Structures are given as structure tokens and as C-alpha cells.
């Protein structure tokens, strides 16, 4: 088993998908959390100056979704066919676009609500449609795209509670993810952080 060292800040953010995938497979990893105040002294030694990074046996890999895809494939959390993967990846990218443009750093609730009013309906109703009557985005089996929805929506929820309340299928998906036994167990034991 390789040695995995995940480095990120002390919040869920862009590292949580990687943590979920490790938790799902009960894979041991070093969960290194840098205090934001200490970040400037580390930044120049990190590829592209961004976290998270994952060290695998001492080699550093970057970009959370590239890392997530690699680990998800090993964990059996990707598609059963190449076309399933095309579908799942498109959903991940859609969620990623949505959260990447969310005005996190403004700390301004009005800006956040404005963003959600403008972009929420298209993205959230589109994702509901993708889900349809299925339990998971891929159909009858869980993938890392389901995890990503749960994690990203949780973070937005912290700032704008109830932002997806009009989308019952997405809410049910979130519950389903949090009921996956290994994920439920991780949620119980992970460090408590606001987002
Ligand atoms: N697309 C990259 C985004 C990485 C990113 O923007 N990381 C932020 C935290 S979420 C960061 O390192 N910010 C500190 C900085 O830019 O100095 C990924 O998914 O890994």
C-alpha cells in the first residue's frame, strides 16, 4: 500500500472529496492540515502555489479533481463504462464550475445570494434532471460525482442555508451519500470545521 500524504488547509473545501474517497476504501492517509497563517511559508514549495496536493510515496501530485479521478478509479467509484465516465465527469465539471465561481472570498452574503439567484436555477434544476428517478447520478451505483455534490453543497449551505431546498432529489442524494456507512463513519470522526 503506498504512503499517502494529503496537504490542505484545516477545512473540508477542495480536499474533502479526496478524504471521502480514502474513507470509502478505508485507506490510511496522512491528513496534513496547514494553518492559513502559516501558508505563506509553504506556498513557494507547492506546485503552482495551490492546495490540495497529494504525496504518493514522496512524489507530489496536484489538482483535486485529477487526484480524485485517479483515486476514484482505484476505489471503484468511477463509471462502469467509458460513456458512464463521460457522463459522470460532465456532472463533476458542472458542479466544479458552479462552486469555482461562487464568491467565497467576498464573505458578502448579498453577493453570494445574487450569484445563487443568477446561476442556481439552471445548475440545480439541470442536476435534478440528470438525477431523474435514479438513486445516483450514474444510475444504480454510487460514484465520486455523488460525493462531490454532497461536499460542495455542504460548503455553500454554510453560507446560504437552504439554497437547494427547492430541489428534493438533490437533497435526497445528499442524504444517501451521508448514509453510505464508510462516509457516515468519516463524517463522525473527521475534524469539525465550518466548511
Ligand atoms: N483547481 C484547483 C484549485 C486549487 C485552489 O484554488 N486552492 C486554493 C484553496 S481552495 C488555494 O490553494 N488557495 C491559496 C492560494 O491561492 O494562495 C484544485 O482543485 O486543486
Amino acid at each position: 500500500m503506498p504512503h499517502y500524504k494529503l496537504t490542505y488547509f484545516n477545512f473540508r473545501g477542495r480536499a474533502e472529496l479526496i478524504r471521502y474517497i480514502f474513507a470509502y476504501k478505508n485507506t490510511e492517509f496522512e491528513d496534513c492540515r496547514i494553518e492559513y497563517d502559516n501558508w505563506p511559508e509553504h506556498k513557494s514549495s507547492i506546485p503552482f502555489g495551490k492546495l490540495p496536493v497529494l504525496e504518493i510515496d514522496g512524489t507530489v501530485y496536484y489538482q483535486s479533481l485529477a487526484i480524485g479521478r485517479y483515486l476514484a478509479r482505484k476505489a471503484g467509484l468511477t463509471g462502469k463504462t467509458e460513456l458512464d465516465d463521460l457522463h459522470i465527469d460532465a456532472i463533476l465539471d458542472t458542479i466544479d464550475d458552479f462552486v469555482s465561481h461562487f464568491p467565497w472570498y467576498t464573505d458578502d452574503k448579498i453577493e453570494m445570494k445574487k450569484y445563487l439567484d443568477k446561476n442556481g436555477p439552471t445548475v440545480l434544476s439541470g442536476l435534478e434532471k440528470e438525477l431523474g428517478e435514479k438513486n445516483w447520478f450514474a444510475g444504480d451505483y454510487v460514484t465520486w460525482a455523488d460525493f462531490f455534490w454532497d461536499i460542495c453543497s455542504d460548503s455553500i449551505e454554510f453560507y446560504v442555508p437552504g439554497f437547494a431546498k427547492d430541489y428534493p432529489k438533490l437533497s435526497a442524494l445528499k442524504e444517501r451519500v451521508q448514509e453510505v456507512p464508510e462516509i457516515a463513519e468519516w463524517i463522525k470522526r473527521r475534524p469539525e470545521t465550518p466548511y
Side-chain angles (χ1 to χ4, degrees):
M1 175 68 68
H3 180 84
Y4 293 114
K5 179 181 175 187
L6 176 65
T7 303
Y8 193 57
F9 302 106
N10 187 25
F11 43 80
R12 299 193 298 275
R14 286 201 165 263
E16 195 64 10
L17 180 57
I18 299 168
R19 298 188 186 114
Y20 264 39
I21 299 169
F22 280 140
Y24 182 74
K25 285 304 276 184
N26 291 309
T27 303
E28 260 186 56
F29 69 105
E30 231 183 291
D31 191 8
C32 176
R33 294 165 182 249
I34 294 182
E35 285 309 321
Y36 203 78
D37 287 348
N38 300 332
W39 171 231
E41 76 198 48
H42 294 280
K43 188 172 164 85
S44 63
S45 66
I46 301 288
F48 300 97
K50 299 275 179 202
L51 295 178
V53 293
L54 179 70
E55 277 173 58
I56 307 179
D57 286 337
T59 301
V60 180
Y61 298 90
Y62 55 92
Q63 283 291 349
S64 62
L65 291 183
I67 297 166
R69 185 169 294 109
Y70 167 78
L71 295 172
R73 212 171 270 146
K74 290 168 102 52
L77 282 166
T78 49
K80 287 188 179 157
T81 67
E82 287 179 345
L83 282 178
D84 282 354
D85 265 335
L86 175 58
H87 181 220
I88 291 161
D89 281 346
I91 288 169
L92 277 141
D93 284 346
T94 299
I95 298 171
D96 189 47
D97 281 350
F98 184 54
V99 295
S100 295
H101 296 112
F102 186 80
W104 302 105
Y105 299 107
T106 61
D107 218 22
D108 177 346
K109 294 271 161 66
I110 295 173
E111 272 306 302
M112 291 175 181
K113 284 207 71 170
K114 241 199 256 169
Y115 175 83
L116 291 175
D117 286 346
K118 181 160 178 251
N119 301 286
T122 308
V123 175
L124 300 176
S125 62
L127 289 173
E128 279 249 320
K129 225 160 126 196
E130 282 288 359
L131 203 49
E133 297 311 313
K134 300 172 298 188
N135 275 346
W136 312 101
F137 283 124
D140 58 358
Y141 64 98
V142 65
T143 70
W144 66 307
D146 304 303
F147 289 0
F148 199 43
W149 167 250
D150 173 46
I151 292 160
C152 293
S153 58
D154 243 9
S155 296
I156 298 180
E157 186 77 22
F158 171 76
Y159 288 103
V160 186
F163 82 98
K165 67 176 177 348
D166 296 337
Y167 301 89
K169 292 183 169 120
L170 291 178
S171 305
L173 174 63
K174 195 171 176 54
E175 275 175 36
R176 225 170 274 130
V177 169
Q178 295 190 2
E179 281 165 3
V180 171
E182 295 81 3
I183 300 300
E185 203 266 326
W186 166 248
I187 290 172
K188 250 193 266 161
R189 74 183 154 93
R190 72 185 171 191
E192 219 170 288
T193 59
Y195 42 79

